Amino acid sequence: MQINQVLVSASPGDAITNSAFELRDLLRRISPSEIFARNIHPALADEVIDLSKYFLLASPRPRDDLLMYHASIGDPEVFGFVAERPERLVLVYHNISPAAAFAPYEPGFAGLLDAGRRDLAFLKSRVTLALCDSAFNASELIALGYEDVRVSPLIVDPRSLHGVELDDGTTRHLNEVVEGPVVLFVGQILPHKRPELLVHAFHALVTYLIPEAHLIMVGSPRLPRFAGAVQQQIVELGLHRAWMTGAVAPETLRSFYEWAQLFVTASDHEGFCVPLLEAMSFDLPIVARATTAVPETLGGAGLLLDPGDSPLVMAEAWAEVLTGEGVRDALVAKGHERLDEFDPDHARRQILEHLSSVV
C-alpha cells in the first residue's frame, strides 16, 4: 500500500507544504509515501515530485492505496487528477482564503481561490475521509455536505524554532537601533491578514500612548501591489518605527520573536494560524481579533477584540498589555497552558488512527 500526497503548489515556508512534509515523515513509518505537486519551487525540487510523474510511480494496485489531497487554490489539472484517480481520496483541508479580499489586487489569483472552493463542492462524493486542523474548517466542509469530517490536530512543534541559532546581524541591529517595546506580527502580507489595520493601530499607539514603540511585520509580500500599498501607508503616516521585513530565515525569525514584547494580528480569516503558537512558545502575550479560527486556536490564551473594534481600541489594548504587568503575566501563563495541548506526538497518533479507519 502507498499513501501519497498531492498539492497544487509546494514552496518553502508555506503552511500547506510544511504540513505535507510533517505528514510524509509520519506516513513513511507505515508505507511508501511521496509528495506530488503541480508547481514546485526550485528549492524543493529534490523533495517534491512533479505531478506529471505520478503515473510512473503509482503502485500496480491503486485501489488499495490512499491519496491525500491538500485543497487550496483551484487548478484544473490537479482537480481532474484527484477526481479521476482510482485511489481512495482523503481530503486535508487547511481552509481557502476569501477571494473577495484579493480581487482588487490580483483578480486572476482571486479566480483561482474561487475555483478552489468550487472544487471542494464537486469532490464531496469522491472523498472517503476529510481531515481538518480546526473545528472552523470542519464546519465549512459539513456545510458543503461532506459526511465523514474529522478534526485532527496539526502536527506542529513551535518550540522547534528555539533550536535554531539566533541571527547575529539581526540581533545586533535590534540591540543597537531599537529603543522601546516591539509589537510583532508574523504572517504573509496579504489582504485578508489586514496589515493596514495594524498600521493604523500602531499610528494611534505612537501618537497617543507609547511614542517609543516599534512595529515589525514579518512575512512574504506575496502580492506586490498590496504590499506596496501598505508600505506607502507607513510612509504617508510618517511611521519610521514601523518595518515590513519580507520573508526571513528561521534564525532571523527567532531573533524577532526573542526581541518582541507583544504579538498582534488583525486577520479577518484564519483556518488555524500557527504563528499564534510560536508567539506563545516565546512567552509573548497576544492581542488578536476574534475572527474565524483565531479564538479556537488561542483557546483563551490571548486578548480577543471584537472584529468591529476601531484601530484606536486596538491600540489601547496593545498599550494595556505592554504597560500592565499583571495583564501580560496572565496572558503568558495562559499561553503556556494552551501550548501544552499541542503535543506533536499526540497529533501524529490521532492522524494514524483516522487513516487506519479507512485503510
Side-chain angles (χ1 to χ4, degrees):
M1 182 184 73
Q2 292 184 5
I3 308 178
N4 293 313
Q5 300 179 75
V6 172
L7 289 67
V8 173
S9 298
S11 58
D14 172 66
I16 292 178
T17 306
N18 289 344
S19 176
F21 282 137
E22 289 282 2
L23 277 172
R24 185 187 63 181
D25 292 343
L26 173 65
L27 296 172
R28 282 180 171 175
R29 299 179 187 179
I30 59 173
S31 86
S33 183
E34 299 290 350
I35 300 172
F36 296 84
R38 173 81 168 81
N39 306 294
I40 304 171
H41 188 282
L44 300 181
D46 294 333
E47 294 287 337
V48 180
I49 303 172
D50 192 284
L51 187 60
S52 64
K53 297 179 181 178
Y54 188 93
F55 304 96
L56 301 175
L57 301 172
S59 78
R61 289 192 292 271
R63 295 187 186 280
D64 294 336
D65 300 335
L66 290 181
L67 192 62
M68 301 183 71
Y69 172 48
H70 294 257
S72 57
I73 61 175
D75 183 288
E77 183 173 325
V78 176
F79 173 73
F81 175 87
V82 298
E84 295 169 7
R85 285 295 303 176
E87 293 90 346
R88 287 161 295 166
L89 186 63
V90 175
L91 179 73
V92 184
Y93 186 50
H94 308 269
N95 212 279
I96 296 175
S97 301
F102 291 76
Y105 302 96
E106 195 166 328
F109 188 73
L112 293 176
L113 292 171
D114 271 335
R117 288 194 172 273
R118 289 195 299 272
D119 291 348
L120 282 180
F122 284 119
L123 285 173
K124 66 182 177 182
S125 61
R126 167 81 173 88
V127 169
T128 301
L129 169 67
L131 299 178
C132 303
D133 51 23
S134 68
F136 171 76
N137 291 343
S139 68
E140 290 195 352
L141 295 186
I142 292 169
L144 286 173
Y146 279 74
E147 294 183 357
D148 192 352
V149 181
R150 308 182 197 180
V151 177
S152 185
L154 199 66
I155 303 174
V156 57
D157 183 7
R159 294 185 177 94
S160 64
L161 193 57
H162 296 247
V164 304
E165 294 291 330
L166 288 168
D167 182 77
D168 289 339
T170 300
T171 301
R172 190 182 313 112
H173 178 78
L174 292 169
N175 186 53
E176 294 174 354
V177 173
V178 174
E179 295 180 2
V182 170
V183 178
L184 178 68
F185 164 76
V186 177
Q188 296 183 76
I189 306 300
L190 292 173
H192 67 287
K193 302 283 189 180
R194 302 304 300 274
E196 81 284 0
L197 282 183
L198 297 179
V199 173
H200 279 306
F202 180 67
H203 182 234
L205 182 73
V206 296
T207 301
Y208 304 113
L209 300 166
I210 307 178
E212 68 275 19
H214 294 256
L215 173 65
I216 302 177
M217 295 189 289
V218 181
S220 173
R222 292 286 295 274
L223 298 183
R225 282 186 59 200
F226 177 73
V230 177
Q231 182 60 49
Q232 184 61 31
Q233 177 192 17
I234 291 171
V235 171
E236 290 178 354
L237 291 174
L239 300 175
H240 64 281
R241 291 173 179 260
W243 325 341
M244 287 200 302
T245 69
V248 300
E251 296 82 0
T252 305
L253 180 58
R254 182 190 169 192
S255 295
F256 287 130
Y257 272 123
E258 294 276 11
W259 202 265
Q261 284 75 49
L262 172 65
F263 185 91
V264 297
T265 177
S267 182
D268 277 339
H269 193 95
E270 295 289 344
F272 185 85
C273 196
V274 170
L276 294 175
L277 303 187
E278 293 175 345
M280 293 176 200
S281 79
F282 282 95
D283 293 343
L284 290 183
I286 297 167
V287 178
R289 295 167 75 224
T291 59
T292 55
V294 171
E296 181 183 349
T297 301
L298 282 176
L303 180 57
L304 285 171
L305 304 178
D306 188 282
D309 284 342
S310 69
L312 180 57
V313 172
M314 292 174 62
E316 289 171 342
W318 297 2
E320 177 66 19
V321 176
L322 287 170
T323 60
E325 188 171 322
V327 176
R328 175 188 173 85
D329 291 346
L331 291 175
V332 170
K334 289 179 180 178
H336 289 169
E337 295 173 5
R338 180 58 173 159
L339 201 59
D340 287 341
E341 298 176 25
F342 289 94
D343 178 0
D345 287 332
H346 173 68
R348 293 182 182 100
R349 287 193 296 272
Q350 278 211 290
I351 289 172
L352 290 179
E353 287 175 7
H354 291 315
L355 294 178
S356 67
S357 70
V358 297
V359 169

